Amino acid sequence: MNMIEDAARKIESMEVRGAARIARFAAETLKEYAKSVKTNFDEEMRRASERLMNTRPTAVSLFNAINYVMSYSGESDEEKRESLIKRAEEFIEWVDTAREKIGGIGAKRIMDGSTVMTHCNSSAALSVIKHAFDEGKDIRVIATESRPRHQGHLTTKELADYGIDVTLIVDSAVRYFMKEVDVVVVGADTITVNGALINKIGTSQIALAAKEARVPFMVAAETYKFSPKTLLGELVVIEERDAREVIDGELLSHPKVTVRNPAFDVTPRDYIDLIITEIGAIPPEMAYIVIRDHLGYREFGGEEITLSPEHYD
Ligand code: RUB
């Protein structure tokens, strides 16, 4: 289990972060682990997947990745291993191709001469921005710092290295700069059945400011970011991380001070103009259709939902 424990810690410490990367990494880890399991295949894989599942609670991409890979079939351990490896490879390909398709679709909504605001560090959102740039559009990006972990620095470096002009701002300057923005593009950790977005803390404030300023707000989200669990009424758990990410020193131990550090927030669907997925640009109201028809969560036997692998395409 060392391999699994190492991988789990990489996700928990955010050495591997971002909903798509976490999902891809979990699929890769399960694949490598499956190769090393000698006996009790089902039991070993179940324990491994449970450990990975419990690393970060909010991004449903992790749940969908593990569910997809663990829906393996076969009689013997050898057949099961082969099936699992194949499914892990399929999922990894899904991650890679979806990001590219989203980039191509989303780029059409970014006009030449635009200023684009983005938040945190989303591979899907950056794919949209890079595709627009690759098409020769003259664009400029405003990237938020994304405290407390400063993922905005990663975004700034990645886009600047790509040749795009980037302005880095503190999170509280979003409204100040919104008047210069033509479109906002962010990623997603989870899309719920009613079309709400769960993404990096601060996203909902940006959506609010965008709506007030009549600036279109787009979400770049692969279909594996849509949450089947919310169809059964489950609420998305918002991860609350260590207060020491926010502040250190004396204030932390002051008896009258509490420091809260939620990592994500919820943006209601009314603030979202469009969700760019690999199967098309859709309104948030279509989330139910994606979960039911594309991910295949159609029939539920009791409370337990089991993924029918053939429904993924
Ligand atoms: C990352 C974050 C990203 C989404 C989407 O949070 O909120 O916007 O995960 O990213 P954290 P991607 O840094 O806490 O993991 O499009 O790459 O899946």
Side-chain angles (χ1 to χ4, degrees):
M1 285 288 275
N2 271 352
M3 183 195 295
I4 296 299
E5 198 46 42
D6 279 358
R9 288 192 186 147
K10 279 188 179 143
I11 299 174
E12 282 163 350
S13 67
M14 292 175 62
E15 187 180 328
V16 176
R17 48 144 300 279
R21 287 186 192 91
I22 291 171
R24 194 183 193 285
F25 181 64
E28 251 171 15
T29 304
L30 288 174
K31 174 183 152 182
E32 288 313 310
Y33 188 60
K35 289 183 189 166
S36 73
V37 170
K38 302 224 166 27
T39 52
N40 287 338
F41 189 82
D42 289 337
E43 177 56 17
E44 284 292 329
M45 293 312 303
R46 191 190 57 74
R47 280 177 43 207
S49 58
E50 258 171 33
R51 176 68 185 100
L52 293 175
M53 195 81 96
N54 289 329
T55 48
R56 292 192 78 187
T58 303
V60 76
S61 54
L62 180 62
F63 169 89
N64 281 338
I66 292 173
N67 225 346
Y68 188 88
V69 175
M70 290 298 287
S71 300
Y72 59 82
S73 56
E75 290 297 317
S76 65
D77 279 4
E78 254 342 291
E79 282 169 5
K80 288 174 184 171
R81 192 192 325 273
E82 215 172 280
S83 163
L84 185 146
I85 290 172
K86 186 165 166 285
R87 296 190 66 76
E89 284 167 354
E90 280 166 12
F91 188 85
I92 290 165
E93 197 184 321
W94 185 3
V95 173
D96 296 342
T97 54
R99 188 181 50 240
E100 283 308 299
K101 282 187 192 159
I102 286 171
I105 296 170
K108 300 204 179 85
R109 305 299 293 241
I110 295 184
M111 303 305 149
D112 190 26
S114 290
T115 295
V116 184
M117 181 179 276
T118 191
H119 185 50
C120 194
N121 179 253
S122 154
S123 53
L126 296 199
S127 176
V128 170
I129 294 169
K130 287 178 183 171
H131 270 79
F133 179 76
D134 289 343
E135 287 169 9
K137 290 172 185 165
D138 175 25
I139 55 171
R140 163 188 171 237
V141 172
I142 298 182
T144 53
E145 195 177 29
S146 311
R147 259 191 59 80
R149 298 291 296 238
H150 300 113
Q151 290 93 330
H153 296 187
L154 299 173
T155 292
T156 301
K157 176 156 174 38
E158 188 175 333
L159 292 179
D161 285 350
Y162 205 73
I164 300 173
D165 290 332
V166 189
T167 305
L168 177 69
I169 63 169
V170 296
D171 299 312
S172 44
V174 160
R175 179 62 190 96
Y176 182 87
F177 285 103
M178 193 55 81
K179 55 186 177 299
E180 297 176 20
V181 176
D182 297 293
V183 61
V184 177
V185 187
V186 297
D189 280 84
T190 293
I191 306 280
T192 66
V193 69
N194 63 350
L197 161 71
I198 289 89
N199 191 49
K200 180 54 54 195
I201 190 78
T203 302
S204 65
Q205 283 177 183
I206 298 176
L208 199 62
K211 190 161 182 86
E212 187 257 345
R214 307 283 189 274
V215 173
F217 183 90
M218 294 201 304
V219 180
E222 301 86 339
T223 51
Y224 61 79
K225 310 265 181 73
F226 286 67
S227 170
K229 295 190 283 185
T230 59
L231 195 52
L232 286 185
E234 230 179 85
L235 292 171
V236 178
V237 176
I238 302 288
E239 174 184 9
E240 188 137 351
R241 296 185 63 87
D242 199 307
R244 282 168 298 188
E245 286 186 349
V246 179
I247 191 175
D248 50 19
E250 197 180 308
L251 264 185
L252 257 188
S253 50
H254 193 296
K256 298 304 274 183
V257 173
T258 307
V259 178
R260 300 280 307 271
N261 185 20
F264 303 98
D265 66 17
V266 184
T267 302
R269 66 153 188 246
D270 297 348
Y271 294 83
I272 300 167
D273 290 286
L274 212 53
I275 304 179
I276 314 291
T277 76
E278 75 276 18
I279 55 168
I282 61 167
E285 288 78 6
M286 263 184 66
Y288 170 67
I289 309 279
V290 171
I291 294 168
R292 193 194 62 183
D293 293 352
H294 184 67
L295 298 184
Y297 285 87
R298 239 177 290 240
E299 288 149 19
F300 300 102
E303 274 302 289
E304 191 71 18
I305 50 169
T306 328
L307 177 68
S308 313
E310 66 271 20
H311 286 127
Y312 277 117
D313 51 20

